[in-house]
């Protein structure tokens, strides 16, 4: 891969063709998952505000599971702790894939989305705290998360011809955003830590690691070990989704040297991602959305009243304004500091549109809201309304901005896909000296 000087670095420049194809495959799957997520959330809202709302509340509060193992949980709890562990397992696989074999292994390519993600966390958190000084500051992390499935579903409508670099930027930013959210959950939302179960969890996790490093993929061996790891982490007081991340991060990305090493193709992580991403996007996240989004609004007057609460204002302004300012501001800053420049055909208004879609915070935001205030509290209801309202507003604004540039995007899209050679690699990637794995 050819190297250029720092002054030739392009923000939102094209990545490698192999990475572009991989990101495209992920985006297509996440678009379906995002659509199902939206359907689940809408159905929950309709049911929770219908004459049959009591049946919805009975469903989400129904308990089942072995009480002796402290797993007699409500259906909603199983969705947030159990099903979302699958979602975070896929996140763990994706994080490792990005930093081991993806474009993010190049620190210069990683710098922009990583810094942008940090900006998109810090600014919304500060805005939330400013609205809630002396009050419910414990929810500061709620507006910091971007929901990739929801954002990508909107992106399919907002920018069907959006350049691949901007799509990759949004996906990578959301992945880094998830990593930050994982750290926040682990560090700030563990109330009482039980050391013995946590240390004991290292035993099944260690066996799982040994087996996957040996490229063993037998489900009857791995799934019980994963389940025991999850149960022990849950018992320790650390949020059980962290177990999903840990399990994903130990799966090898590259093939073993015996199989040919790096040049032999994808490793076990891609196999697991292929198997579990449809379960995550098609079942786990939509079911969680259905269980978490069913808040009783109380008519338009109740909606307006909820919007006026400091918690709601902090979340909504944090998502809509904070995410946009944080992501664009951090991107601008790192571009100036590195002496870089915007890629040809890309303008700062494009970054603004994508950053607005970064304000679609749903799955992880709802989870953090539950951890911060508890399920069923007045603050939790305000948070859920604010997340839904703020995410919808961010989606509408981002769509409006990106649609105004659709003609430009169509031209860039045609340039990216013209003149494919015999290997299916567009000349535009070849001329830039990118990897064509």
């Amino acid at each position: 891969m050819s190297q250029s000087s720092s002054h030739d670095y392009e923000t939102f420049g094209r990545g490698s063709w192999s990475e572009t194809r991989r990101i495209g495959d992920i985006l297509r799957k996440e678009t379906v998952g995002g659509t199902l997520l939206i359907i689940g959330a809408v159905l929950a809202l309709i049911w929770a505000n219908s004459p049959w709302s009591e049946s919805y509340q009975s469903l989400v509060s129904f308990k089942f599971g072995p009480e002796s193992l402290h797993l007699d949980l409500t259906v909603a709890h199983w969705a947030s702790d159990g099903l979302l562990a699958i979602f975070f397992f896929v996140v763990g696989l994706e994080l490792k894939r990005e930093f081991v074999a993806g474009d993010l292994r190049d620190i210069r390519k990683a710098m922009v989305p990583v810094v942008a993600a940090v900006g998109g966390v810090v600014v919304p958190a500060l805005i939330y705290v400013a609205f809630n000084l002396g009050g419910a500051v414990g929810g500061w992390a709620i507006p910091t998360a971007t929901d990739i499935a929801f954002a990508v579903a909107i992106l399919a409508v907002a920018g069907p011809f959006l350049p691949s670099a901007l799509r990759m930027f949004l996906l990578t930013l959301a992945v880094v955003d998830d990593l930050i959210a994982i750290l926040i959950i682990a560090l700030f939302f563990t109330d009482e830590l039980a050391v013995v179960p946590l240390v004991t969890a290292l035993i099944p996790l260690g066996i799982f690691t040994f087996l996957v490093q040996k490229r063993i993929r037998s489900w009857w061996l791995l799934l019980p070990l994963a389940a025991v790891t999850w149960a022990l982490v849950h018992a320790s007081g650390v949020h059980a989704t962290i177990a999903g991340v840990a399990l994903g991060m130990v799966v090898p990305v590259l093939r073993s040297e015996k199989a040919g090493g790096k040049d032999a193709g994808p490793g076990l992580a891609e196999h697991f991602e292929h198997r579990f991403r449809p379960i995550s996007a098609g079942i786990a996240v939509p079911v969680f959305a259905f269980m978490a989004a069913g808040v009783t609004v109380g008519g338009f007057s109740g909606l307006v009243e909820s919007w006026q609460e400091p918690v709601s204002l902090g979340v909504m302004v944090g998502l809509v304004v904070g995410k946009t300012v944080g992501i664009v501001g951090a991107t601008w800053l790192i571009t100036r500091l590195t002496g870089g420049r915007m890629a040809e055909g890309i303008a700062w208004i494009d970054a603004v549109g994508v950053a607005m879609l970064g304000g679609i915070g749903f799955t992880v935001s709802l989870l953090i809201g539950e951890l911060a205030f508890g399920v069923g509290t007045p603050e939790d209801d305000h948070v859920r309304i604010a997340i839904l309202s703020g995410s919808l507003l961010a989606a509408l604004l981002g769509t409006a901005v990106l649609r105004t540039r659709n003609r430009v995007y169509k031209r860039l899209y045609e340039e990216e896909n013209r003149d494919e050679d015999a290997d299916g690699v567009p000349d535009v990637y070849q001329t830039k000296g990118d990897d064509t794995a």
Side-chain angles (χ1 to χ4, degrees), residues 239-271:
H239 198 266
T241 53
I242 302 300
V245 179
L247 290 163
M249 292 291 285
V250 301
V251 178
V253 169
L254 303 176
R255 288 192 177 182
S256 64
E257 292 184 6
K258 184 182 295 185
K262 184 184 294 186
D263 296 330
L268 197 56
E270 188 164 322
H271 169 77

Side-chain angles (χ1 to χ4, degrees), residues 21-34:
R21 286 186 300 180
R22 192 184 71 83
I23 295 296
D25 291 340
I26 291 175
L27 289 173
R28 281 188 287 274
K29 293 174 184 176
E30 292 289 5
T31 300
V32 176

